[in-house]
Amino acid sequence: LSKSQDDEIGDGTTGVVVLAGSLLEQAEQLLDRGIHPIRIADGYEAAAKVACDHLKSIAEHFEFDAETNKEPLIQTAMTTLGSKIVNKCQRKFAEMAVDAVLSVADFERRDVDFELIKVEGKVGGHLEDSMLVHGVIVDKDMSHPQMPKHIEDARLAILTCPFEPPKPKTKHELLVESVEDYKALRKYEFEKFNSMIDQVKETGANLVICQWGFDDEANHLLLHRELPAVRWVGGPEIELIAIATGGRIVPRFEELTKEKLGFAGNVRELSFGTTKERMLVIEKCANSRAVTAFLRGGNKMIVEEAKRSLHDALCVVRNLVRDSHIVYGGGAAELSCSLRVGQAADADSAGLEQYAMRAFADSLENVVLALAENSGLPPIETLADLKVRQVRENCPRLGVDCLERGTNDMKEQHVIETLSSKRAQIMLAVQLCKMILKIDDIRETVDQEAPMYNM
């Protein structure tokens, strides 16, 4: 369930699990009272429809401008990161997420291509050392330590063919029976290597990105001919470099032309303190839409959690680009929906479904109770106070003041959630409960290999 929410929306994974668990708990009580599972499922579905319609009615249009006014997007991303392990760098990660999404967003089609956003992590340093690179970061370094570490106005030849002499495809033997044979073989290899380097240099390339490796002789020759190279670059990285630099992936040296080269304004090597680990940064690319978020952390667990947190923030900003409607967090939306579903159960519903609808309303309140309890507030008192105030003031923005800022108005606290996320939470939780309620019985097979003991 959590994974479905993560795949669909990218955020709200905890909320959907809390809601589904509460719905199943309420369903168990209704079953004990003799209500048929199908009637419960129908009631839940009717309540979900009422809740989604109400969410749409209380949702507000989210105003932002990619050029001049990014602050509302940053505030929304900060709401997502507030409950994550990276919350001490909440602002920095939110800005990274917003800049990354706006760099690759297509506002005409209202779509964001996540293929152009790469997230790389490296153990070491602090979370504060994380950065967004408008280009590509590859976990490789120059093939020779004496090659230049910084190249301006790089013209990249992106190759999937190795720097080595051609070999027969079938099994073969090469007999070297004398010194002359060895010298002839070495001369042949040298000429072939030189020919390959000449073909690359004739196009004007000053950096080679190669998918395959090459031996020390070819490496030395590349250094001697002043042609920097990077070897053993994986397939996905090769494709991303090609997209970012506007180059073409070339499978044979004979096909390499000036038009197929990629361009990058700056290629540099990143080194990390006293370690030997290095990474290659390709910046100011021809296709400026490709970006890489480079995350640091004290250990592998922190880096992986930072990746997951940033992914959630990216998804939230992506959702706002797709659909710019928001509701307010802190349990405000759930409580407002709970009140509306309760009214619908009393006024519009006839039959046994009204019991399921009231149970659905109670389940939504459990989200508010959980928030209050986790914040160290008295749960029942907080819920009762908020219900009274929402009804009296007719204000669906009132939620739990988790950080004790002195106001329950989530608009003032900038606690914002996307409408699509909240709607997906409700629908996914209800669909899961319906599926479980329609299970009649469970048959378990006995393990035949288990030893049988006669009593």
Side-chain angles (χ1 to χ4, degrees):
L1 180 65
S2 178
K3 190 174 188 313
S4 299
Q5 176 76 8
D6 198 36
D7 293 342
E8 183 74 19
I9 301 296
D11 188 36
T13 50
T14 311
V16 74
V17 172
V18 170
L19 181 57
S22 182
L23 285 171
L24 288 171
E25 191 178 341
Q26 294 286 343
E28 188 179 10
Q29 294 175 16
L30 293 173
L31 288 169
D32 290 342
R33 293 168 69 178
I35 301 175
H36 195 276
I38 298 297
R39 304 298 290 272
I40 299 171
D42 290 345
Y44 277 178
E45 194 164 5
K49 187 177 184 307
V50 170
C52 289
D53 290 342
H54 182 65
L55 280 174
K56 200 170 180 181
S57 68
I58 64 172
E60 294 182 12
H61 185 67
F62 189 73
E63 296 290 342
F64 70 91
D65 189 281
E67 300 294 330
T68 58
N69 186 23
K70 295 190 286 188
E71 188 61 29
L73 284 174
I74 293 169
Q75 292 290 346
T76 313
M78 284 175 68
T79 302
T80 306
L81 295 167
S83 60
K84 307 287 191 291
I85 203 168
V86 298
N87 60 1
K88 69 170 185 173
C89 303
Q90 201 173 353
R91 176 89 193 181
K92 184 179 182 67
F93 273 70
E95 288 174 353
M96 282 170 60
V98 170
D99 289 342
V101 170
L102 294 182
S103 296
V104 304
D106 184 344
F107 287 101
E108 288 183 9
R109 292 172 52 232
R110 300 188 75 82
D111 193 26
V112 176
D113 186 2
F114 267 19
E115 294 294 320
L116 294 173
I117 302 175
K118 187 182 176 192
V119 181
E120 278 284 341
K122 197 77 172 174
V123 175
H126 304 278
L127 278 171
E128 291 86 347
D129 299 331
S130 303
M131 60 181 176
L132 184 73
V133 175
H134 289 273
V136 182
I137 294 182
V138 185
D139 196 3
K140 300 290 173 189
D141 57 356
M142 295 294 180
S143 62
H144 197 287
Q146 292 179 8
M147 285 178 177
K149 310 295 183 203
H150 189 246
I151 302 168
E152 297 281 348
D153 298 327
R155 293 174 297 282
L156 292 83
I158 305 168
L159 305 174
T160 54
C161 46
F163 269 98
E164 61 182 28
K167 297 175 183 176
K169 299 292 182 186
T170 56
K171 287 185 178 180
H172 65 283
E173 287 184 1
L174 181 65
L175 296 174
V176 180
E177 296 179 330
S178 64
V179 175
E180 287 74 22
D181 289 347
Y182 177 76
K183 286 181 177 178
L185 177 62
R186 191 174 181 282
K187 184 182 177 184
Y188 169 76
E189 286 190 350
F190 184 78
E191 287 172 354
K192 277 292 179 185
F193 283 140
N194 255 330
S195 169
M196 292 171 183
I197 293 170
D198 286 337
Q199 285 174 317
V200 174
K201 295 204 79 166
E202 280 168 12
T203 62
N206 58 1
L207 177 63
V208 175
I209 305 289
C210 188
Q211 188 174 13
W212 302 101
F214 35 83
D215 59 20
D216 291 341
E217 189 177 353
N219 202 9
H220 175 75
L221 203 57
L222 285 164
L223 174 68
H224 183 68
R225 295 288 301 275
E226 297 180 351
L227 184 61
V230 183
R231 56 184 168 183
W232 297 119
V233 181
E237 284 89 352
I238 281 265
E239 289 178 14
L240 197 60
I241 291 169
I243 291 169
T245 60
R248 297 280 296 277
I249 298 172
V250 181
R252 284 189 291 274
F253 285 97
E254 293 77 12
E255 296 180 17
L256 188 62
T257 61
K258 187 177 181 180
E259 291 73 30
K260 293 180 180 177
L261 297 180
F263 177 79
N266 186 17
V267 178
R268 59 190 171 91
E269 244 186 30
L270 271 180
S271 56
F272 304 103
T274 56
T275 63
K276 293 181 181 179
E277 293 182 354
R278 292 179 178 85
M279 296 181 90
L280 202 68
V281 180
I282 303 171
E283 295 176 300
K284 300 176 185 175
C285 301
N287 178 9
S288 59
R289 292 178 65 206
V291 295
T292 304
F294 183 52
L295 308 180
R296 306 299 309 280
N299 55 47
K300 190 175 180 181
M301 187 270 288
I302 295 289
V303 172
E304 291 303 317
E305 184 63 24
K307 282 185 182 180
R308 194 180 73 81
S309 303
L310 186 66
H311 173 262
D312 286 0
L314 289 168
C315 288
V316 165
V317 180
R318 186 265 316 266
N319 294 340
L320 282 173
V321 171
R322 285 180 174 175
D323 178 9
S324 56
H325 286 88
I326 56 156
V327 291
Y328 292 97
E334 285 88 349
L335 189 54
S336 183
C337 287
S338 170
L339 292 168
R340 177 69 191 93
V341 170
Q343 290 171 4
D346 294 337
D348 307 330
S349 177
L352 291 174
E353 284 81 2
Q354 61 182 298
Y355 292 99
M357 292 181 75
R358 289 196 190 94
F360 186 93
D362 292 342
S363 298
L364 285 170
E365 289 177 2
N366 274 0
V367 175
V368 184
L369 288 170
L371 272 173
E373 191 172 348
N374 290 342
S375 305
L377 302 169
I380 303 295
E381 287 178 36
T382 305
L383 174 63
D385 181 50
L386 286 173
K387 280 179 80 171
V388 169
R389 286 187 61 191
Q390 278 212 15
V391 172
R392 189 182 296 157
E393 299 173 29
N394 193 23
C395 180
R397 301 193 304 268
L398 298 175
V400 181
D401 182 16
C402 298
L403 301 176
E404 297 187 340
R405 290 180 177 169
T407 176
N408 291 104
D409 192 333
M410 295 296 110
K411 189 171 186 177
E412 289 180 27
Q413 291 203 27
H414 300 292
V415 181
I416 304 163
E417 294 193 53
T418 58
L419 173 63
S420 54
S421 169
K422 198 58 71 179
R423 197 164 46 198
Q425 278 185 37
I426 291 172
M427 295 311 296
L428 276 172
V430 168
Q431 292 297 329
L432 177 82
C433 292
K434 281 179 66 180
M435 184 178 71
I436 292 174
L437 284 167
K438 288 182 180 180
I439 297 172
D440 293 326
D441 199 3
I442 298 173
R443 299 290 176 90
E444 289 187 36
T445 56
V446 178
D447 189 357
Q448 297 297 324
E449 296 180 5
M452 300 293 288
Y453 297 101
N454 293 322
M455 298 299 289

